[in-house]
Amino acid sequence: MRSFIYFLAVILAAFFCETSGIANTVSQQKSGDASRAAQEVAGRMAERLSKQLPRHLSSLSTEQSSQQSKRESDQSADTTSGPASGQTAQAKTQQGERPRLQLPEDKPLGAAGPSRDKRKPDIEDADFMVIRDRWRIGMPEDPRFRKGDVANPYRQNVLKGDYPIIGNHTFLNITLASESSFNIRRVPVPQDVSSARPGSFEFFGRGRQEAFNQNFIFSADIFHGDASFKPVDWRFKVTGVANLNLLRAREVGIVNIDVREGRSRLDGFNAIEELFFEYRLGDTTKIMPFLRGKGSRDGDSPFFDTTSVRVGIQPFTSDFRGFIFSDSNLGARLFGNFGANRWQYNLAYFDMLEKETNSELNTINPRDLEFRNQKVYIANIFRQDTFVLGYTTQFSLHYSDDRPTTEYDQNGFLVRPARLGDIRRHRVRSGYFGWTGDGHFGRWNITHALYQAIGRDSYNQLAARATRINAQMAAAELSIDFDWIRYRVAGFYTSGDSKPTDGTARGFDAILDNPNFAGGPFSFWNSQGIRLTQTGVALVEPRSLIPSLRSSKIQGQSNFVNPGLTLYNAGIDVDVTPKLRGFINYNYLRFNRTEPLELALFQNSIRHEIGHDLGIGFIYRPLLNENIVLIGGASGLRPGVGFTDIYSSNCNGTPQGCGAGSPTLWSAFLKLRFVY
């Protein structure tokens, strides 16, 4: 109030000083010059006000700032600095400079951290203001605004890419995660000459196992560019994983080939799962001029279609459901879009790294780097809104060149070449032509895939000769939603080899699959590995549907002499609440051909029925986001006659304890994931 009175007094004083001049001027003017006299008076008043008013305003501003500094500080030095600064400001004002703009010192709402823009500010005044760091503009205190926190990744956070760390365009996104999984299961296992139960005559041992796996994940993603409006200009990302795993079995020779290692194994491994650099090359129509259409000027895309390149260890899934290749490995990838983002494409090359057996991570860390001498080439193209809006189709080419090597896994088992038939190193060259689709036609959701595999195997161990590859795969899923329930049916087919020794391999196998199909983790057949006793191979590997007879999916070579599979699926997905989703899944499985099994096991008349696979499960997200996710489920396989032919005894109960049948196999699991 005192400042306002002082300001009003200044105005009145200036006006009073003019009154004497007005009187003199009026008395000296003639009546005809009244108008000109009034103009002169107004001009003199304006001139004097323009000289005096800035000086008084500056003094007023200086006094206010001095009073504020006195209130904020108890030190006497701060109280004496006000008049000196006021005199300086007054002197500058007298020299003709405009007063500086005083802004409130409000803080950003999020956990912004200090500004990284260290440049000196330009000259500012009441008409012009420079904001260097536009991301950290302050907001006034208001109870309606919720403040961010470094510990909360869903509020604005400098560690989650919401504020730049360098300039205005370079951001950092840090991710911390913990993934814990526990699995208890009963699977068929052999009981060898070093049985854990001396005196037992039964060939098949006790199959109950407990497995625990823990991954601690750290990821740092540095990228340049405002990703809200366009693809990043460049990106560097690194992801490290520390793994701890435990396996307990009831029989020896399971956790390690050396039976002296006992029935349990505790192991750990550290690896780098992502380490790549990505760079945006520019508009696709500039890089590939033949894609230019109407509206393109000098190759610039009017729809901002771009092309980028990524080099290093990177994740990649080649189709919608991961039927052929899904892995994180070392390679180079060219990808982009065109046609107003209606078309997307990938050109990828991978020089495959060896996997660590128990953790299934890449063998790359500061101490280990091991290649497996396999090259993979992939090209695919997607087209959105094909036939109808909402349906995307894809065409792809895959080629794998898996060269001859010898490899024992970390537990001492031979994985390349497989311990099956005539053990000999060989080279497998396979190519895949594929057509897949995903989307919806009206209310009906559809996913489908069709693949043709060709190539050569220099020496197939089961056929005991070189073979030509000619195999097929088909899959389709149809579903429809009724409110909070989705009903789905699906089918899956891979060709089998009816003549395993004729020189043509007709059993289909993938490169490195991880299919999210026919129940996924809630299917016993899809989630559990079932070893083929009396051999060094598996009937089916974890996270695979194909009975490929491979020594290992992650370390072994593809095998195209196998029985093939026909699977019929039905399921229900239920959104119980926004936080909880439930699953019910049923599979009926059959071998297409059993001749490869009969040849591998030296056993005649193996029938085709594998059995009935039933599973249930849930996904629970207590915070309605991905920060905390709990997944659990249970599944079981009721063996059919064909499965029983493989996994049951040939004896008739003599001696005592011999002749047990194939029991029901089951599995239960729980996974907990925390993500920052």
Side-chain angles (χ1 to χ4, degrees):
M1 186 66 182
R2 185 176 60 182
S3 300
F4 175 76
I5 295 174
Y6 178 71
F7 175 75
L8 184 61
V10 171
I11 299 297
L12 293 176
F15 179 76
F16 178 77
C17 292
E18 292 294 333
T19 55
S20 60
I22 294 174
N24 295 334
T25 302
V26 172
S27 63
Q28 294 176 2
Q29 299 300 323
K30 297 180 181 180
S31 59
D33 299 330
S35 176
R36 183 167 55 84
Q39 293 178 359
E40 291 179 358
V41 171
R44 292 174 60 188
M45 290 178 64
E47 181 179 359
R48 182 164 294 183
L49 284 173
S50 65
K51 292 180 179 179
Q52 296 180 358
L53 185 59
R55 184 171 65 254
H56 293 302
L57 287 175
S58 177
S59 300
L60 178 61
S61 176
T62 303
E63 182 181 353
Q64 291 177 344
S65 62
S66 177
Q67 293 175 357
Q68 182 178 0
S69 63
K70 289 179 181 179
R71 288 192 302 266
E72 295 178 351
S73 176
D74 296 330
Q75 298 180 1
S76 60
D78 295 338
T79 59
T80 58
S81 63
S85 61
Q87 294 175 3
T88 304
Q90 184 175 358
K92 290 183 178 180
T93 304
Q94 291 176 351
Q95 295 176 2
E97 291 189 10
R98 290 183 169 184
R100 293 291 182 89
L101 182 64
Q102 301 291 327
L103 292 177
E105 297 183 357
D106 296 317
K107 296 182 179 180
L109 290 178
S115 176
R116 298 307 194 270
D117 194 335
K118 303 302 182 182
R119 294 176 294 177
K120 295 182 179 180
D122 294 339
I123 298 177
E124 300 175 348
D125 56 30
D127 296 331
F128 182 75
M129 179 176 62
V130 177
I131 299 178
R132 292 288 190 188
D133 193 345
R134 63 186 178 90
W135 299 92
R136 293 177 173 85
I137 298 176
M139 295 291 290
E141 292 288 341
D142 194 306
R144 296 172 298 176
F145 298 150
R146 298 188 63 179
K147 292 287 188 178
D149 193 327
V150 173
N152 188 345
Y154 279 89
R155 296 290 175 188
Q156 289 183 323
N157 192 333
V158 68
L159 299 181
K160 300 302 294 182
D162 297 319
Y163 297 98
I165 61 169
I166 301 175
N168 276 324
H169 303 287
T170 304
F171 301 82
L172 170 66
N173 183 11
I174 291 179
T175 300
L176 304 175
S178 171
E179 296 179 347
S180 307
S181 64
F182 176 75
N183 179 218
I184 181 171
R185 57 184 179 249
R186 182 165 69 182
V187 294
V189 297
Q191 181 173 264
D192 58 19
V193 294
S194 299
S195 170
R197 295 183 298 169
S200 172
F201 298 100
E202 182 58 52
F203 178 81
F204 295 98
R206 295 172 295 171
R208 180 171 170 176
Q209 300 175 2
E210 295 92 25
F212 175 76
N213 190 80
Q214 173 66 51
N215 285 327
F216 296 103
I217 304 170
F218 170 80
S219 177
D221 183 9
I222 302 175
F223 59 93
H224 182 273
D226 188 358
S228 299
F229 304 98
K230 63 182 182 65
V232 297
D233 297 320
W234 56 263
R235 161 179 278 131
F236 176 78
K237 186 175 183 180
V238 57
T239 300
V241 180
N243 173 266
L244 178 69
N245 59 85
L246 171 68
L247 176 62
R248 293 183 59 189
R250 296 298 186 272
E251 299 290 345
V252 295
I254 303 297
V255 301
N256 195 285
I257 196 171
D258 187 350
V259 297
R260 295 173 298 176
E261 295 292 331
R263 294 176 291 172
S264 64
R265 179 188 65 224
L266 178 63
D267 195 14
F269 191 73
N270 300 325
I272 298 175
E273 287 297 287
E274 287 182 306
L275 180 63
F276 65 79
F277 179 76
E278 177 183 321
Y279 182 75
R280 188 173 70 87
L281 300 176
D283 288 1
T284 304
T285 48
K286 276 190 173 182
I287 299 172
M288 304 177 186
F290 60 89
L291 295 176
R292 296 180 185 180
K294 295 181 179 180
S296 177
R297 297 180 179 178
D298 299 327
D300 293 331
S301 171
F303 307 106
F304 210 81
D305 296 324
T306 64
T307 291
S308 302
V309 63
R310 179 181 293 181
V311 179
I313 303 173
Q314 55 190 291
F316 184 69
T317 299
S318 62
D319 59 25
F320 297 107
R321 296 296 184 95
F323 288 122
I324 304 299
F325 182 89
S326 180
D327 191 27
S328 180
N329 224 301
L330 178 63
R333 176 174 159 230
L334 182 73
F335 62 97
N337 57 355
F338 60 93
N341 197 34
R342 191 173 188 181
W343 297 83
Q344 295 96 35
Y345 70 92
N346 292 277
L347 298 173
Y349 160 77
F350 292 95
D351 189 356
M352 303 292 284
L353 296 168
E354 193 67 75
K355 298 288 186 180
E356 202 274 336
T357 306
N358 301 321
S359 66
E360 301 186 358
L361 301 175
N362 294 321
T363 55
I364 176 171
N365 56 41
R367 295 186 305 171
D368 300 304
L369 176 60
E370 187 175 353
F371 292 87
R372 63 159 294 167
N373 206 17
Q374 180 185 14
K375 318 293 183 183
V376 176
Y377 307 84
I378 302 172
N380 60 28
I381 187 167
F382 300 81
R383 187 180 189 270
Q384 300 186 69
D385 298 332
T386 304
F387 306 132
V388 296
L389 297 177
Y391 171 77
T392 301
T393 191
Q394 180 211 41
F395 297 94
S396 64
L397 298 173
H398 299 70
Y399 178 74
S400 171
D401 185 4
D402 198 348
R403 299 176 184 179
T405 53
T406 300
E407 180 71 19
Y408 290 85
D409 67 15
Q410 275 70 29
N411 302 318
F413 295 98
L414 179 65
V415 290
R416 288 197 309 273
R419 190 161 55 90
L420 176 70
D422 186 4
I423 302 176
R424 185 184 301 185
R425 300 200 319 170
H426 58 108
R427 181 178 186 179
V428 182
R429 290 173 290 179
S430 56
Y432 302 82
F433 304 93
W435 172 48
T436 62
D438 184 79
H440 64 88
F441 288 79
R443 292 185 58 192
W444 291 95
N445 309 303
I446 185 171
T447 294
H448 65 86
L450 181 64
Y451 283 98
Q452 168 68 44
I454 60 173
R456 291 190 65 86
D457 187 343
S458 63
Y459 188 85
N460 185 276
Q461 297 173 238
L462 196 55
R465 59 179 296 178
T467 58
R468 294 184 299 105
I469 300 170
N470 180 16
Q472 300 79 36
M473 190 218 83
E477 179 184 281
L478 191 66
S479 65
I480 188 170
D481 298 325
F482 288 95
D483 198 4
W484 45 278
I485 301 178
R486 168 172 290 188
Y487 301 93
R488 52 181 170 81
V489 293
F492 182 80
Y493 169 85
T494 60
S495 59
D497 198 335
S498 60
K499 301 177 181 179
T501 60
D502 69 346
T504 300
R506 298 179 177 87
F508 187 88
D509 198 4
I511 301 174
L512 187 55
D513 59 333
N514 186 11
N516 180 17
F517 194 78
F522 308 114
S523 162
F524 184 91
W525 180 264
N526 195 348
S527 62
Q528 301 300 316
I530 303 176
R531 305 300 295 181
L532 191 63
T533 55
Q534 308 178 51
T535 70
V537 299
L539 179 64
V540 64
E541 284 285 331
R543 299 181 304 281
S544 180
L545 293 170
I546 305 171
S548 58
L549 308 186
R550 293 170 71 158
S551 59
S552 168
K553 186 179 78 170
I554 60 173
Q555 293 183 278
Q557 292 177 291
S558 299
N559 174 38
F560 293 89
V561 177
N562 64 62
L565 177 74
T566 296
L567 178 150
Y568 304 96
N569 168 261
I572 301 175
D573 304 340
V574 182
D575 290 326
V576 182
T577 70
K579 298 180 179 180
L580 178 63
R581 172 174 290 185
F583 303 89
I584 302 175
N585 186 77
Y586 169 76
N587 296 324
Y588 177 69
L589 308 106
R590 291 179 61 87
F591 295 122
N592 288 325
R593 310 299 305 189
T594 59
E595 289 84 354
L597 294 171
E598 295 172 357
L599 179 61
L601 299 175
F602 301 99
Q603 181 178 341
N604 295 325
S605 303
I606 296 177
R607 289 167 286 185
H608 290 255
E609 185 184 45
I610 299 174
H612 304 266
D613 178 2
L614 180 64
I616 58 173
F618 68 90
I619 297 178
Y620 179 61
R621 302 182 304 150
L623 303 180
L624 287 175
N625 54 37
E626 300 301 318
N627 286 84
I628 302 177
V629 181
L630 180 64
I631 305 175
S635 58
L637 177 66
R638 182 60 180 173
V641 293
F643 195 89
T644 303
D645 289 340
I646 300 173
Y647 295 101
S648 61
S649 299
N650 295 324
C651 58
N652 59 2
T654 303
Q656 185 178 3
C658 180
S662 179
T664 298
L665 307 179
W666 52 268
S667 169
F669 76 94
L670 191 66
K671 295 181 180 179
L672 181 60
R673 178 178 173 88
F674 296 96
V675 179
Y676 170 79

